Amino acid sequence: MVSRTVAARRVAYETLRAVHESDAYANLLLPTAISRAGLSTADAALATELTYGTLRRQGTYDAVIAIAADRPVADIDPAVLDALRLGVHQLLSTRVASHAAVNESVELARGAGGRGAAGFANAVLRRVSRDTPGDWMTHIAASARSDDEQLGLLFSHPVWVVRAFRRALAAEGRADELEALLTADNASPRVTMAALPDLAGVPDDARRTPFSPIGFRLGGGDPESIVRTSRGRIRVQDEGSQLAALALTRALPITEGERWLDLCAGPGGKTAVLAAEARVGGATLEANEISPARAGLVRQALAGVPVEVPVSEEDGRTRAEDAPDTYDRILVDAPCTGLGALRRRPEARWRKAPSDVPALTELQRELLSAAVGALKPGGVVAYVTCSPHLAETSGVVADIRREWGAALEEISARDVITSLSDADPGLPPQADGSGRAQLWPHRHNTDAMSISLLRRV
């Protein structure tokens, strides 16, 4: 009979294999794998930590493995490599006994590649176990060919992401916070909840979040149980995501009868906040999501809000262009690189490349321009990305402001968010002089959400 601890490691390993072999997302796959394996609460926590810890630190562990194996990781069988990554994570970043980490990882390698793979894995992991974590950081730092590559290896980020983060921080005069940001990206995010306005209250034993007026963190208990009990009126939602929706709804007083549109709504967390806010203010909300599967998630997210929100499934550009001068408020939560959510989706850092950015920024510009055209005079659009990359944030907004000229004015998102917050979010001016608000994991304990507000004159 397989022990539960071994089962937890196998769940982690099989999740890693699916992530690397099938482009699966750990946050979607792992809960199902844990349930199917019947893991206890403690072993489910172990499987979760092993999976996410290994994915977050994959770049660092690959550098360690390359030195210990004396060969590039590209030359190692992928299934064996995942067993090695899991073993190195346990050796360097957990309190798991070395013999257990080595032996069980060797068995995973044996299952993947037979006796030869097991012998190879045993030799590599025993080499890793002979040095301390600090020694290994010294080894891999010495192997770097540049300062940026050294940061990338030590903090497990691709070099292009390191450089993009540095530029985004420098735009606020805070380039010296780069290592703090990279460190925060490798930490497990705290679970944050949202109580939909006028539909749910914050539990008595919860702690309110410092910035979002609808956010809180639980003192204990199962978040999913609370979500179910509330019928979806209490939700798990990053505080930055809450603020992105609230920045739009509270930028200006709501006039009864306003029409709102969530143009890129999937998976629906922000849509639910908009719907609750629309209900309170007497506005109506429509949503759009091009992906049928994600449109289904939007409908599920809206189930707890007692208002009718039609959800269309069109290209957002077409959806907006077909409704000129129609809406009072539009949220454009644009498709992006997702570099702001690497704590939650650590595998994303290895899936994106600089070559992805130009096509995304073109799509973002087209969506935002179409949304501006769909605004009534006086209407407001919130342009949101879960990325701090300057090309996707300030660059896109600057292009749209040039395109529309005097027909657009900016509302300071920084001022709006500061007015919503109990604590001062400390949002510094941007180098481009805009009112864009940039949230950060290391500074705000949120995803790195960028929020801009533009008003059609």
Side-chain angles (χ1 to χ4, degrees):
M1 181 176 178
V2 177
S3 77
R4 287 304 186 193
T5 302
V6 172
R9 287 177 171 82
R10 180 157 291 281
V11 164
Y13 174 73
E14 290 174 354
T15 302
L16 294 177
R17 292 301 306 127
V19 165
H20 292 130
E21 195 172 39
S22 307
D23 285 341
Y25 284 95
N27 66 315
L28 301 178
L29 182 61
L30 186 59
T32 301
I34 286 171
S35 177
R36 286 176 178 168
L39 299 185
S40 67
T41 300
D43 286 327
L46 175 61
T48 300
E49 198 285 326
L50 292 178
T51 300
Y52 281 99
T54 302
L55 287 172
R56 289 189 184 105
R57 302 289 293 172
Q58 178 178 310
T60 301
Y61 298 152
D62 281 1
V64 171
I65 291 166
I67 294 171
D70 195 25
R71 69 181 69 174
V73 293
D75 293 345
I76 300 173
D77 179 81
V80 176
L81 179 59
D82 276 333
L84 290 172
R85 289 166 171 159
L86 193 58
V88 171
H89 175 63
Q90 293 172 80
L91 288 170
L92 300 185
S93 300
T94 75
R95 296 182 179 180
V96 172
S98 293
H99 69 274
V102 172
N103 292 343
E104 292 179 21
S105 298
V106 167
E107 288 307 308
L108 291 172
R110 188 189 308 278
R115 181 183 297 177
F120 171 69
N122 183 64
V124 171
L125 293 173
R126 292 197 181 281
R127 169 68 187 91
V128 174
S129 70
R130 288 200 295 270
D131 287 355
T132 68
D135 290 337
W136 278 111
M137 295 307 101
T138 300
H139 297 331
I140 64 174
S143 73
R145 295 164 295 183
S146 69
D147 290 345
D148 284 345
E149 184 174 291
Q150 185 177 98
L151 285 173
L153 293 175
L154 292 175
F155 292 97
S156 192
H157 284 68
V159 170
W160 77 274
V161 174
V162 172
R163 291 171 177 161
F165 284 172
R166 180 187 288 109
R167 287 191 290 268
L169 287 166
E172 302 180 348
R174 294 185 170 179
D176 60 341
E177 295 181 6
L178 177 58
E179 290 192 15
L181 170 58
L182 297 175
T183 299
D185 259 358
N186 289 329
S188 299
R190 288 182 284 178
V191 175
T192 307
M193 315 289 289
L196 294 181
D198 202 45
L199 292 171
V202 175
D204 292 338
D205 62 344
R207 290 187 298 107
R208 289 185 177 273
T209 51
F211 310 123
S212 169
I214 65 171
F216 64 93
R217 294 190 177 94
L218 293 173
D222 177 14
E224 293 303 322
S225 173
I226 293 170
V227 171
R228 288 192 300 271
T229 302
S230 75
R231 294 175 297 161
R233 296 178 178 186
I234 291 177
R235 320 177 49 79
V236 175
Q237 187 174 30
D238 181 73
E239 191 177 7
S241 177
Q242 298 172 37
L243 288 169
L246 294 173
L248 176 63
T249 63
R250 303 192 184 186
L252 298 171
I254 300 170
T255 301
E256 188 170 355
E258 285 186 4
R259 291 183 67 181
W260 300 356
L261 172 64
D262 188 352
L263 191 60
C264 311
K270 298 179 186 71
T271 321
V273 175
L274 294 179
E277 290 272 285
R279 175 179 175 273
V280 172
T284 58
L285 173 67
E286 300 163 33
N288 179 74
E289 170 53 50
I290 189 172
S291 162
R294 286 169 64 84
L297 295 176
V298 175
R299 296 184 183 99
Q300 291 177 26
L302 290 165
V305 186
V307 293
E308 184 67 27
V309 179
V311 181
S312 55
E313 300 177 9
E314 300 179 42
D315 185 308
R317 294 164 290 190
T318 304
R319 177 70 172 78
E321 288 165 356
D322 288 346
D325 309 319
T326 298
Y327 295 100
D328 298 280
R329 304 184 199 228
I330 300 177
L331 175 63
V332 180
D333 184 13
C336 66
T337 55
L339 299 183
L342 298 184
R343 302 175 305 160
R344 301 178 193 283
R345 301 183 188 92
E347 62 271 36
R349 71 186 76 182
W350 313 117
R351 292 181 178 172
K352 298 294 184 181
S355 58
D356 296 322
V357 175
L360 282 169
T361 54
E362 180 63 23
L363 174 60
Q364 290 155 0
R365 283 191 292 269
E366 292 172 355
L367 285 166
L368 182 53
S369 184
V372 172
L375 287 174
K376 294 177 181 177
V380 178
V381 59
Y383 173 66
V384 175
T385 62
C386 191
S387 169
H389 195 299
L390 292 180
E392 299 185 88
T393 57
S394 60
V396 168
V397 173
D399 287 348
I400 296 305
R401 294 199 68 184
R402 281 191 292 269
E403 176 187 346
W404 284 85
L408 272 185
E409 64 182 15
E410 185 171 22
I411 298 172
S412 173
R414 292 199 305 277
D415 290 348
V416 173
I417 290 173
T418 299
S419 72
L420 294 174
S421 304
D422 286 338
D424 181 2
L427 298 168
Q430 298 289 318
D432 61 3
S434 72
R436 183 171 68 90
Q438 179 65 63
L439 302 172
W440 294 103
H442 68 290
R443 201 183 300 159
H444 303 107
N445 289 309
T446 67
D447 291 343
M449 199 75 67
S450 172
I451 305 164
S452 294
L453 297 170
L454 299 173
R455 188 182 190 195
R456 187 169 176 184
V457 177

